């Protein structure tokens, strides 16, 4: 007897890649604390999700100084304390119209993969009576040194656990810790930008009479999602500026210059943030020619300010901010353009 049967595959095999991405604040009041949500997904006919890199709009930040950081060992093991939790995650896996959704948590960590902070996203891999342990995906939170803009770079997403393909379909992350994330005070048209990567495709191929797998590179999909807050006109703007010098009539030792910019200590959503400061010095306080000649070039400063000539370091600056656990300080460098 040689029984035989067949069946048609009437859906397109995975190969395309057009994932969706959505993000935003639940409260659009400029400067106010607000939960912040991100969601991305794919269809059955898309390649599997591999990773995500997303850059937040300028000014959309978090009060990281208010949260105890999860340690590196705990972050890798998925055992962070509840005091470090900053959000929740809901993950959908499996093919077909009704994927299985599993809830998890997101914790704030210390430096990770090139960023001063990170996230440990922890999801219990439990489906009914089946428990496959805990899935941990680390995130690197990187800060632009010029704009303070935040970029989140994820580690690769798992595609298989204990031999079972996950078929990751959708991920929803909400940073909902009270008093943590807050909006910018710029009501212009801003945006989320980034890329979603797809997993490499393995398709069966007959090679030298043997069935093997030929792997195609994973696709990449870029996105730009609009973001805009409201009611900037209702915000106050009351910074204070003070300057003093110990200059004397002698030019032998020059003069000192002390500048202090302060900001009212108010709750979020009341005052507009400071974006830049421009100061014109009086002609009675010129720069010494020998100092001008030792200025750091703009090219060197952009590459690495630490390599600027020591003579170009003319002072220091200290910044106090309530959203960081400690003040920031560094040299003031004279730069030629």
């Amino acid at each position: 007897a040689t029984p035989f049967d067949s069946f048609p595959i009437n859906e397109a095999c995975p190969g395309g890649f057009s994932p969706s991405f959505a993000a935003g604040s639940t409260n659009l009041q400029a400067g106010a604390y607000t939960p912040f949500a991100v969601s991305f997904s794919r269809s059955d006919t898309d390649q599997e999700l591999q990773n995500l890199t997303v850059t937040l709009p300028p000014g959309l930040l978090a009060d990281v100084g208010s949260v105890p950081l999860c340690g590196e060992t705990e972050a890798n093991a998925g055992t962070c304390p509840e005091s470090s939790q900053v959000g929740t995650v809901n993950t959908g896996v499996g093919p077909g119209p009704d994927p299985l959704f599993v809830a998890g948590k997101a914790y704030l960590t210390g430096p990770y993969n090139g960023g001063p902070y990170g996230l440990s996203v922890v999801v219990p891999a439990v489906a009914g009576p089946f428990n496959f342990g805990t899935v941990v995906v680390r995130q690197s939170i990187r800060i632009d040194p010029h704009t303070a803009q935040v970029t989140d770079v994820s580690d690769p997403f798992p595609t298989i656990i204990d031999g079972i393909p996950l078929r990751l379909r959708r991920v929803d992350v909400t940073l909902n810790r009270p008093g943590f994330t807050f909006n910018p005070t710029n009501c212009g048209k801003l945006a989320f930008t980034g890329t979603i990567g797809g997993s490499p495709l393995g398709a069966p191929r007959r090679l030298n009479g043997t069935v093997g797998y030929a792997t195609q590179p994973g696709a990449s999909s870029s996105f730009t999602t609009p973001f805009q807050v409201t009611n900037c006109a209702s915000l106050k703007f009351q910074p204070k500026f003070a300057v003093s010098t110990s200059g004397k009539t002698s030019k032998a030792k020059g003069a000192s210059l002390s500048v202090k910019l302060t900001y009212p200590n108010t709750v979020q959503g009341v005052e507009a943030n400071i974006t830049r400061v421009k100061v014109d010095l009086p002609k009675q306080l010129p720069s010494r020619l020998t100092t001008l000649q030792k200025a750091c070039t703009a090219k060197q400063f952009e590459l690495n300010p630490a390599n600027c000539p020591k003579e170009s370091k003319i002072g220091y600056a200290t910044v106090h901010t309530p959203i960081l656990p400690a003040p920031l300080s560094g040299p003031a460098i004279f730069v030629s353009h």
Side-chain angles (χ1 to χ4, degrees), residues 125-274:
V126 178
F130 302 101
N131 188 334
F132 300 98
T134 299
V135 175
V136 179
V137 178
R138 300 292 302 274
Q139 317 278 319
S140 173
I141 298 178
R142 303 173 185 178
I143 312 297
D144 187 295
H146 301 288
T147 65
Q149 206 168 353
V150 175
T151 296
D152 181 276
V153 180
S154 78
D155 282 357
F157 305 138
T159 58
I160 191 169
I161 296 179
D162 289 346
I164 299 177
L166 294 181
R167 302 288 189 264
L168 184 63
R169 294 284 301 280
R170 175 172 172 170
V171 178
D172 301 327
V173 179
T174 303
L175 300 183
N176 51 13
R177 184 186 179 102
F180 184 60
T181 51
F182 56 89
N183 285 327
T185 59
N186 177 2
C187 286
K189 294 182 178 180
L190 306 175
F192 296 89
T193 59
T195 57
I196 301 175
S199 294
L201 289 174
R205 297 288 187 271
R206 185 170 294 278
L207 304 173
N208 299 324
T210 304
V211 175
Y213 282 84
T215 300
Q216 303 174 21
S220 179
S221 177
S222 301
F223 59 83
T224 298
T225 300
F227 176 78
Q228 190 171 20
V229 296
T230 59
N231 297 326
C232 285
S234 65
L235 300 177
K236 299 178 181 179
F237 189 62
Q238 301 172 317
K240 294 182 179 181
F241 183 86
V243 61
S244 62
T245 178
S246 62
K248 299 180 180 179
T249 55
S250 170
K251 295 182 179 180
K253 295 184 178 180
S256 67
L257 186 66
S258 177
V259 176
K260 189 174 184 179
L261 179 65
T262 57
Y263 191 79
N265 186 17
T266 58
V267 298
Q268 287 290 342
V270 175
E271 295 274 346
N273 296 328
I274 299 172

Side-chain angles (χ1 to χ4, degrees), residues 63-67 69 117 317-330:
D63 188 354
V64 293
S66 66
V67 181
L69 302 181
Y117 295 95
T318 302
V319 179
H320 299 265
T321 169
I323 67 172
L324 294 177
L328 302 177
S329 61

